[in-house]
mmCIF file of all heavy atoms in Angstrom:
data_model
loop_
_atom_site.group_PDB
_atom_site.id
_atom_site.type_symbol
_atom_site.label_atom_id
_atom_site.label_comp_id
_atom_site.label_asym_id
_atom_site.label_seq_id
_atom_site.Cartn_x
_atom_site.Cartn_y
_atom_site.Cartn_z
ATOM 1 N N GLY P 3 -149.413 103.363 -124.183
ATOM 2 C CA GLY P 3 -149.519 104.623 -124.901
ATOM 3 C C GLY P 3 -148.503 104.799 -126.006
ATOM 4 O O GLY P 3 -148.461 105.837 -126.658
ATOM 5 N N GLY P 12 -143.300 91.997 -134.639
ATOM 6 C CA GLY P 12 -143.942 90.979 -133.817
ATOM 7 C C GLY P 12 -144.976 91.561 -132.877
ATOM 8 O O GLY P 12 -146.054 90.994 -132.686
ATOM 9 N N ILE P 17 -150.812 92.482 -131.645
ATOM 10 C CA ILE P 17 -151.951 93.378 -131.401
ATOM 11 C C ILE P 17 -153.054 93.098 -132.409
ATOM 12 O O ILE P 17 -154.235 93.010 -132.061
ATOM 13 C CB ILE P 17 -151.511 94.857 -131.436
ATOM 14 C CG1 ILE P 17 -150.696 95.172 -130.178
ATOM 15 C CG2 ILE P 17 -152.710 95.783 -131.557
ATOM 16 C CD1 ILE P 17 -150.048 96.533 -130.181
ATOM 17 N N GLN P 21 -156.945 91.706 -131.757
ATOM 18 C CA GLN P 21 -158.133 92.357 -132.323
ATOM 19 C C GLN P 21 -158.987 91.352 -133.094
ATOM 20 O O GLN P 21 -160.210 91.356 -132.998
ATOM 21 C CB GLN P 21 -157.720 93.505 -133.245
ATOM 22 C CG GLN P 21 -157.145 94.690 -132.511
ATOM 23 C CD GLN P 21 -156.561 95.726 -133.466
ATOM 24 O OE1 GLN P 21 -156.127 95.406 -134.566
ATOM 25 N NE2 GLN P 21 -156.542 96.975 -133.023
ATOM 26 N N LYS P 34 -175.013 75.373 -123.094
ATOM 27 C CA LYS P 34 -174.576 75.634 -121.727
ATOM 28 C C LYS P 34 -173.070 75.884 -121.727
ATOM 29 O O LYS P 34 -172.331 75.221 -122.476
ATOM 30 C CB LYS P 34 -174.887 74.435 -120.829
ATOM 31 C CG LYS P 34 -176.365 74.169 -120.664
ATOM 32 C CD LYS P 34 -176.581 72.934 -119.835
ATOM 33 C CE LYS P 34 -178.051 72.573 -119.791
ATOM 34 N NZ LYS P 34 -178.273 71.308 -119.077
ATOM 35 N N LYS P 40 -166.770 71.493 -126.021
ATOM 36 C CA LYS P 40 -167.044 70.254 -126.744
ATOM 37 C C LYS P 40 -167.842 70.543 -128.020
ATOM 38 O O LYS P 40 -167.531 70.043 -129.089
ATOM 39 C CB LYS P 40 -167.808 69.293 -125.841
ATOM 40 C CG LYS P 40 -168.125 67.970 -126.491
ATOM 41 C CD LYS P 40 -168.864 67.066 -125.529
ATOM 42 C CE LYS P 40 -169.235 65.765 -126.206
ATOM 43 N NZ LYS P 40 -170.007 64.890 -125.333
ATOM 44 N N VAL P 41 -168.862 71.380 -127.907
ATOM 45 C CA VAL P 41 -169.706 71.703 -129.062
ATOM 46 C C VAL P 41 -168.931 72.512 -130.090
ATOM 47 O O VAL P 41 -169.072 72.294 -131.283
ATOM 48 C CB VAL P 41 -170.975 72.452 -128.600
ATOM 49 C CG1 VAL P 41 -171.771 72.938 -129.790
ATOM 50 C CG2 VAL P 41 -171.817 71.534 -127.724
ATOM 51 N N LEU P 50 -170.544 82.944 -141.016
ATOM 52 C CA LEU P 50 -170.254 82.615 -142.410
ATOM 53 C C LEU P 50 -168.926 83.204 -142.861
ATOM 54 O O LEU P 50 -168.473 82.919 -143.952
ATOM 55 C CB LEU P 50 -171.393 83.127 -143.305
ATOM 56 C CG LEU P 50 -172.750 82.493 -143.066
ATOM 57 C CD1 LEU P 50 -173.792 83.130 -143.985
ATOM 58 C CD2 LEU P 50 -172.698 80.997 -143.293
ATOM 59 N N LEU P 57 -149.204 84.357 -140.346
ATOM 60 C CA LEU P 57 -148.385 84.927 -139.285
ATOM 61 C C LEU P 57 -146.931 84.529 -139.498
ATOM 62 O O LEU P 57 -146.620 83.357 -139.694
ATOM 63 C CB LEU P 57 -148.867 84.448 -137.918
ATOM 64 C CG LEU P 57 -150.339 84.717 -137.604
ATOM 65 C CD1 LEU P 57 -150.742 84.020 -136.314
ATOM 66 C CD2 LEU P 57 -150.597 86.198 -137.517
ATOM 67 N N ILE P 73 -150.490 79.551 -128.480
ATOM 68 C CA ILE P 73 -151.016 78.285 -129.007
ATOM 69 C C ILE P 73 -152.516 78.199 -128.743
ATOM 70 O O ILE P 73 -153.293 77.832 -129.628
ATOM 71 C CB ILE P 73 -150.263 77.084 -128.397
ATOM 72 C CG1 ILE P 73 -148.832 77.025 -128.950
ATOM 73 C CG2 ILE P 73 -150.994 75.769 -128.662
ATOM 74 C CD1 ILE P 73 -147.919 76.055 -128.238
ATOM 75 N N ASN P 84 -161.668 79.394 -138.814
ATOM 76 C CA ASN P 84 -160.665 80.099 -139.603
ATOM 77 C C ASN P 84 -159.488 79.181 -139.915
ATOM 78 O O ASN P 84 -159.365 78.096 -139.361
ATOM 79 C CB ASN P 84 -160.178 81.327 -138.820
ATOM 80 C CG ASN P 84 -161.326 82.257 -138.507
ATOM 81 O OD1 ASN P 84 -161.888 82.880 -139.398
ATOM 82 N ND2 ASN P 84 -161.706 82.324 -137.248
ATOM 83 N N HIS P 91 -140.373 78.711 -136.427
ATOM 84 C CA HIS P 91 -139.283 77.814 -136.069
ATOM 85 C C HIS P 91 -139.428 77.273 -134.652
ATOM 86 O O HIS P 91 -138.662 76.421 -134.237
ATOM 87 C CB HIS P 91 -137.932 78.530 -136.197
ATOM 88 C CG HIS P 91 -137.555 78.803 -137.609
ATOM 89 N ND1 HIS P 91 -137.898 79.975 -138.263
ATOM 90 C CD2 HIS P 91 -136.897 78.047 -138.510
ATOM 91 C CE1 HIS P 91 -137.450 79.926 -139.497
ATOM 92 N NE2 HIS P 91 -136.839 78.766 -139.687
ATOM 93 N N GLU P 98 -147.830 71.541 -132.690
ATOM 94 C CA GLU P 98 -149.288 71.708 -132.638
ATOM 95 C C GLU P 98 -149.937 71.752 -134.021
ATOM 96 O O GLU P 98 -151.166 71.747 -134.123
ATOM 97 C CB GLU P 98 -149.636 73.004 -131.890
ATOM 98 C CG GLU P 98 -149.322 72.967 -130.422
ATOM 99 C CD GLU P 98 -150.262 72.065 -129.638
ATOM 100 O OE1 GLU P 98 -151.459 71.992 -129.981
ATOM 101 O OE2 GLU P 98 -149.783 71.422 -128.700
ATOM 102 N N ASP P 104 -142.184 71.607 -145.013
ATOM 103 C CA ASP P 104 -140.783 71.814 -144.667
ATOM 104 C C ASP P 104 -140.025 72.180 -145.934
ATOM 105 O O ASP P 104 -139.954 71.401 -146.877
ATOM 106 C CB ASP P 104 -140.209 70.539 -144.043
ATOM 107 C CG ASP P 104 -138.806 70.719 -143.480
ATOM 108 O OD1 ASP P 104 -138.280 71.852 -143.495
ATOM 109 O OD2 ASP P 104 -138.239 69.713 -143.020
ATOM 110 N N GLY P 109 -130.647 76.783 -145.451
ATOM 111 C CA GLY P 109 -131.072 78.154 -145.694
ATOM 112 C C GLY P 109 -130.320 78.748 -146.872
ATOM 113 O O GLY P 109 -129.399 78.138 -147.425
ATOM 114 N N ALA P 119 -143.906 67.365 -146.892
ATOM 115 C CA ALA P 119 -145.153 67.996 -146.455
ATOM 116 C C ALA P 119 -146.036 66.910 -145.875
ATOM 117 O O ALA P 119 -146.094 65.796 -146.402
ATOM 118 C CB ALA P 119 -145.855 68.685 -147.617
ATOM 119 N N GLU P 128 -139.343 61.595 -142.321
ATOM 120 C CA GLU P 128 -138.524 61.939 -143.489
ATOM 121 C C GLU P 128 -137.082 62.183 -143.055
ATOM 122 O O GLU P 128 -136.789 63.132 -142.332
ATOM 123 C CB GLU P 128 -139.086 63.164 -144.193
ATOM 124 C CG GLU P 128 -138.249 63.672 -145.352
ATOM 125 C CD GLU P 128 -137.972 62.603 -146.399
ATOM 126 O OE1 GLU P 128 -138.927 61.995 -146.910
ATOM 127 O OE2 GLU P 128 -136.782 62.403 -146.711
ATOM 128 N N LYS P 129 -136.168 61.357 -143.514
ATOM 129 C CA LYS P 129 -134.757 61.443 -143.112
ATOM 130 C C LYS P 129 -134.075 62.735 -143.571
ATOM 131 O O LYS P 129 -133.138 63.197 -142.941
ATOM 132 C CB LYS P 129 -134.001 60.227 -143.636
ATOM 133 C CG LYS P 129 -134.417 58.928 -142.972
ATOM 134 C CD LYS P 129 -133.603 57.771 -143.491
ATOM 135 C CE LYS P 129 -133.971 56.402 -143.020
ATOM 136 N NZ LYS P 129 -134.867 56.175 -141.980
ATOM 137 N N GLY P 134 -138.059 67.731 -139.134
ATOM 138 C CA GLY P 134 -138.550 66.461 -138.606
ATOM 139 C C GLY P 134 -137.629 65.890 -137.538
ATOM 140 O O GLY P 134 -138.089 65.405 -136.503
ATOM 141 N N LEU P 141 -140.009 66.226 -129.089
ATOM 142 C CA LEU P 141 -141.151 65.489 -128.545
ATOM 143 C C LEU P 141 -140.700 64.323 -127.671
ATOM 144 O O LEU P 141 -141.412 63.943 -126.738
ATOM 145 C CB LEU P 141 -142.067 65.009 -129.668
ATOM 146 C CG LEU P 141 -142.802 66.125 -130.407
ATOM 147 C CD1 LEU P 141 -143.594 65.572 -131.583
ATOM 148 C CD2 LEU P 141 -143.717 66.894 -129.464
ATOM 149 N N THR P 142 -139.535 63.764 -127.956
ATOM 150 C CA THR P 142 -138.994 62.683 -127.128
ATOM 151 C C THR P 142 -138.648 63.207 -125.735
ATOM 152 O O THR P 142 -138.884 62.555 -124.740
ATOM 153 C CB THR P 142 -137.745 62.077 -127.794
ATOM 154 O OG1 THR P 142 -138.119 61.561 -129.076
ATOM 155 C CG2 THR P 142 -137.174 60.954 -126.954
#
Side-chain angles (χ1 to χ4, degrees):
I17 288 172
Q21 289 172 333
K34 295 177 186 175
K40 181 179 177 183
V41 173
L50 296 178
L57 304 172
I73 289 169
N84 301 291
H91 290 90
E98 291 289 325
D104 188 4
E128 175 55 55
K129 292 182 185 349
L141 292 175
T142 300

